[in-house]
Amino acid sequence: MGLSGAERVRAVIFDLDGTLADSQLDFTAMRRETSCPDDLGLLEFIDSLADPVEKERVANIIHRHEMAGARRATWIEGAQALCHQLTENDIPLAIFTRNSREAASYTVEALAIPHQILIAREDAPAKPDPTGLLAITEALDIDVDEALYVGDYLYDLQAAANAGMRSCLYDAGECEAFRDQADIVVTEFQQLASLLFNQSA
């Protein structure tokens, strides 16, 4: 799929874990430790808990895993080069993540990820709610259809759809179940770079 004419991308928004950074988060272990049901997201599970003591216990487990992941995070292959290409071409780059601001900020600073805006779960409702994406386009003073949201999971595609924004799925081989919900699917970031930098003027 091309990105030309009226579809020109003026800003790229990224998910963080699994998209820009590999933090090796063990979601199976997180679910086991928190007793989170398989059919519920971890953050949604926290919201469903009525007991404040249990809510805090679960939140602390998730925070511990996220911070451990942030400390060992490395770049996803090809992501660093793409981010630098965006910067060199004056295309704003933002991040919208379900991670905590502390964990996300640690990862961003440790990897020196260039970005204009970072929105974490303390800043806006978690994906698939589109509020964070809409806040980013407003801050960048662009229309929603001038941005592209890049992520590696269903929540990312749903958030983009809910915002009326185009989505790009970075599929490292585990996304077959929801590939058809993405506007663009790439298996390596050089493919996305080719699309972005071959746009019509």
Side-chain angles (χ1 to χ4, degrees):
M1 179 180 184
L3 294 169
S4 60
E7 294 183 327
R8 184 174 177 82
V9 172
R10 294 184 56 209
V12 181
I13 307 169
F14 290 93
D15 172 47
L16 186 58
D17 278 344
T19 303
L20 292 180
D22 180 4
S23 58
Q24 302 169 50
L25 284 177
D26 187 341
F27 286 101
T28 300
M30 293 168 75
R31 288 181 175 280
R32 183 175 61 250
E33 287 186 50
T34 60
S35 301
C36 178
D38 290 340
D39 62 347
L40 201 59
L42 287 161
L43 301 185
E44 289 73 19
F45 179 53
I46 292 177
D47 290 340
S48 74
L49 297 171
D51 181 358
V53 174
E54 179 64 6
K55 189 184 289 277
E56 183 178 9
R57 183 190 75 84
V58 171
N60 286 340
I61 290 171
I62 293 171
H63 178 72
R64 171 167 51 81
H65 278 272
E66 285 184 342
M67 289 307 299
R71 285 188 284 270
R72 63 176 173 256
T74 58
W75 280 97
I76 293 285
E77 184 175 358
Q80 184 175 24
L82 175 58
C83 287
H84 287 307
Q85 281 181 279
L86 292 170
T87 300
E88 290 166 2
N89 285 271
D90 296 320
I91 298 177
L93 185 163
I95 296 169
F96 178 36
T97 175
R98 282 168 61 98
N99 281 8
S100 70
R101 173 160 282 276
E102 183 178 359
S105 296
Y106 189 102
T107 300
V108 166
E109 291 172 15
L111 299 183
I113 300 175
H115 68 289
Q116 277 70 38
I117 301 169
L118 167 64
I119 292 188
R121 64 171 173 261
E122 295 91 342
D123 307 313
K127 298 173 285 187
D129 189 292
T131 301
L133 294 177
L134 297 174
I136 290 171
T137 56
E138 182 177 358
L140 295 175
D141 193 26
I142 62 172
D143 292 335
V144 172
D145 61 4
E146 294 177 310
L148 179 70
Y149 187 40
V150 184
D152 69 315
Y153 190 63
L154 178 61
Y155 290 148
D156 304 314
L157 307 182
Q158 292 173 333
N162 290 338
M165 184 180 295
R166 283 167 292 167
S167 62
C168 173
L169 175 66
Y170 170 66
D171 183 0
E174 301 177 356
C175 304
E176 187 64 35
F178 44 86
R179 282 174 65 106
D180 61 347
Q181 297 191 44
D183 294 304
I184 302 167
V185 178
V186 299
T187 56
E188 56 184 36
F189 279 115
Q190 182 55 49
Q191 295 170 321
L192 179 56
S194 296
L195 288 172
L196 289 169
F197 300 117
N198 286 326
Q199 298 180 88
S200 298

